Amino acid sequence: MPRVKMSAAEWSAKGRQAVALRYGRPEEAHRAGVDLLRARAETLTTEAERLRAEADELEKTGPAL
């Protein structure tokens, strides 16, 4: 199964977290970490919906003979 790619929101939060950690701003890094987890959850939710739709479509079409 292919890996789910990072969304723009995930990349942004990850970058903000890295910069905050580099410059010693733990509170900002924590907020960015929370944002990263929320963005990752949204990405996975979207991917799960897509996979469910694909499974429903395959179920409708039946076996490929």
Side-chain angles (χ1 to χ4, degrees):
M1 173 176 275
R3 184 176 160 350
V4 177
K5 294 182 181 180
M6 267 194 190
S7 69
E10 286 178 89
W11 276 111
S12 175
K14 189 173 186 173
R16 285 185 304 132
Q17 185 180 36
V19 168
L21 288 171
R22 179 180 177 124
Y23 293 106
R25 296 182 286 207
E27 290 178 9
E28 190 176 330
H30 174 72
R31 283 193 307 270
V34 170
D35 290 344
L36 175 62
L37 291 176
R38 290 179 196 270
R40 189 172 295 151
E42 181 62 33
T43 300
L44 292 174
T45 300
T46 303
E47 180 67 8
E49 289 172 3
R50 187 190 66 76
L51 290 172
R52 281 189 202 99
E54 186 177 322
D56 290 345
E57 186 63 31
L58 284 174
E59 190 173 43
K60 289 178 189 174
T61 61
L65 299 175

